[in-house]
């Protein structure tokens, strides 16, 4: 029987990204980072991998808390090990981006052992999905027009705005962009938690009138009551739970509060693929959609396996635009065919 034999974080240099910014009050693109690749090696020589931009932190946590828990364990006991990571979280309060790293690497191992892509191991629902262009923050309405035109020419059929975090400016942008692209292009808005309840209501009513598909993270996700009040005051569907801690437990509270039409799930912030799937299935049981947050290969596999999701999120930055090269000229992401997370 195969056992986990080695657990390590290989530090890698991530070059500085093309400079961009987020809404007012938030820092934008980062300088060069010391990233990392978690590698879990089995006694059969199979290596599962999971990448993180926070390599130094991941290496410290693996060294102090995680390695001894994994050595000698069966790498296919993902469920048990997923619960062990959450148990250790009680002591360490792991960052959200660390909680799923072990799980992602273990899914990679399982796919390689089975000789299947991970989405097939989960159960493939589709083999391609449209991507939406998720913008960074630009300087003017006119530049958003230019970027939107490039996105449409690139094959995207939907665009999500990260704007300035100013109700008046963002409402004007949304109104003018809808007129610019017409009614056949899906538009979404991401507030990056920039508003309080009164401003979130004010902007949400504008977005609802414009037929935006969803209104994402308008407020900090600490208070469920404020989200319920917001949902009662606007017509646009809310997309909630992107950065809230607690994976499916916390998402269950958002759903119970009545504030969710869409919920966020992802491999990166919800405890890996195992946690992300829990959220997707929970949402499906309430006839809600689970939209997958962020780019990357693990999320591409999730998109192929989760029936109640709409799009793959592809960040768009720069002008001329730069985006995820996995998005084809037809605006689609297609399923990987190699074993594991490839």
């Amino acid at each position: 029987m195969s056992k986990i034999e080695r657990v390590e974080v290989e530090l890698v240099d991530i070059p500085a990204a093309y400079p961009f910014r987020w809404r007012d009050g938030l820092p934008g693109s980062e300088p060069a980072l010391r990233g990392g690749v978690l590698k879990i090696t089995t006694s059969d020589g199979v290596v599962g991998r999971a990448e993180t931009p926070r390599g130094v932190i991941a290496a410290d946590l693996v060294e102090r808390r995680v390695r001894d828990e994994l050595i000698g364990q069966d790498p296919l006991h993902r469920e048990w090990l997923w619960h062990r990571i959450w148990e250790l979280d009680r002591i360490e309060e792991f960052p959200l981006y660390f909680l799923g790293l072990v799980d992602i690497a273990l899914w990679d191992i399982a796919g390689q052992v089975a000789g299947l892509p991970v989405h097939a191991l989960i159960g493939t629902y589709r083999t391609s999905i449209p991507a939406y262009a998720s913008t960074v923050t630009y300087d003017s309405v006119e530049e958003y027009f230019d970027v939107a035109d490039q996105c449409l020419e690139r094959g995207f059929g939907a665009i999500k705005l990260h704007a300035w975090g100013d109700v008046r400016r963002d409402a004007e942008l949304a109104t003018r962009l809808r007129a610019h692209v017409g009614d056949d292009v899906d538009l979404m808005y991401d507030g990056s938690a920039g508003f309080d309840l009164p401003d979130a209501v004010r902007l949400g009513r504008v977005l609802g009138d414009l037929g935006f598909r969803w209104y994402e993270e308008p407020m900090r996700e600490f208070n469920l009551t404020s989200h319920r009040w917001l949902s009662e005051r606007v017509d646009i569907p809310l997309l909630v739970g992107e950065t809230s801690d607690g994976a499916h437990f916390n998402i269950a509270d958002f759903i119970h509060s009545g504030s969710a039409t869409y919920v966020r799930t992802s491999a990166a912030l919800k405890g890996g693929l195992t946690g992300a799937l829990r959220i997707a299935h929970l949402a499906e049981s309430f006839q809600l959609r689970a939209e997958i947050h962020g780019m990357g290969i693990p999320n591409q596999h999730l998109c192929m396996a989760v029936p109640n999701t709409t799009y793959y999120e592809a960040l768009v930055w720069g002008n001329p635009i730069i985006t995820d090269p996995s998005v084809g000229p037809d605006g689609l992401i297609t399923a990987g065919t190699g074993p594991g997370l490839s």
Side-chain angles (χ1 to χ4, degrees), residues 92-114:
E92 191 68 42
E93 285 294 333
F94 292 134
L96 288 182
Y97 54 79
F98 181 81
L99 275 167
L101 281 183
V102 168
D103 185 74
I104 292 169
L106 293 177
W107 274 101
D108 189 25
I109 289 172
Q112 293 179 60
V113 169

Side-chain angles (χ1 to χ4, degrees), residues 245-256:
D245 205 346
H248 58 298
F249 300 108
N250 182 257
I251 294 296
D253 282 335
F254 272 105
I255 293 172
H256 183 260

Side-chain angles (χ1 to χ4, degrees), residues 129-188:
I129 192 170
Y132 69 83
S134 182
T135 76
V136 295
T137 300
Y138 290 94
D139 290 334
S140 66
V141 172
E142 289 70 26
E143 189 170 18
Y144 276 101
F145 287 175
D146 185 17
V147 167
D149 290 343
Q150 293 178 56
C151 290
L152 298 177
E153 291 170 5
R154 175 67 173 75
F156 290 106
I159 300 168
K160 187 180 78 173
L161 298 177
H162 289 92
W164 301 291
D166 177 284
V167 172
R168 289 180 182 273
R169 292 186 73 197
D170 291 10
E172 179 190 5
L173 169 61
T175 301
R176 293 179 61 187
L177 185 64
R178 169 56 78 201
H180 181 77
V181 300
D183 293 334
D184 292 335
V185 175
D186 256 350
L187 294 178
M188 302 83 110

Side-chain angles (χ1 to χ4, degrees), residues 27-46:
S29 54
E30 297 188 84
L33 297 172
R34 193 72 164 148
V37 180
L38 172 66
K39 294 182 177 180
I40 299 178
T41 304
T42 74
S43 54
D44 294 332
V46 179

Side-chain angles (χ1 to χ4, degrees), residues 203-212 234-237:
L203 181 57
R205 287 174 174 166
V206 173
L207 299 175
D209 289 342
L210 294 169
F212 272 53
V234 298
D235 291 330
I236 186 171

